[in-house]
Amino acid sequence: MSIIGVGVREIRIRDAAGAYRIIYIATLIDGIHVLHAFQKKTQKTPQRDLDVAIQRLRQLKRGPK
């Protein structure tokens, strides 16, 4: 998921109830961070879901306030 950031990956899950995605990053020193998890309703990942993951990654890289 280089569109979100370097080192960001996704897990794809498909079952009878639908398709799901988990966007995460595991390259930060303090652990694995789930940036966003959602159910996909269309073939293309909605921009709003990508934007959520991008915003959360930015927050992680800024550190605590």
Side-chain angles (χ1 to χ4, degrees):
M1 303 256 2
S2 61
I3 191 168
I4 295 172
V6 176
V8 175
R9 304 277 187 243
E10 74 174 329
I11 297 173
R12 298 175 180 192
I13 301 168
R14 184 176 300 249
D15 69 6
Y20 302 87
R21 295 292 184 271
I22 301 166
I23 301 173
Y24 70 97
I25 186 164
T27 57
L28 301 178
I29 197 159
D30 58 342
I32 298 170
H33 297 273
V34 175
L35 301 174
H36 192 42
F38 56 97
Q39 182 177 12
K40 283 192 70 171
K41 308 245 184 210
T42 63
Q43 186 75 8
K44 185 177 177 185
T45 302
Q47 187 62 45
R48 69 181 174 275
D49 289 312
L50 297 174
D51 291 342
V52 167
I54 290 166
Q55 181 62 30
R56 290 180 179 163
L57 180 59
R58 285 183 188 148
Q59 290 172 346
L60 278 173
K61 289 187 174 185
R62 273 191 237 136
K65 292 183 179 182

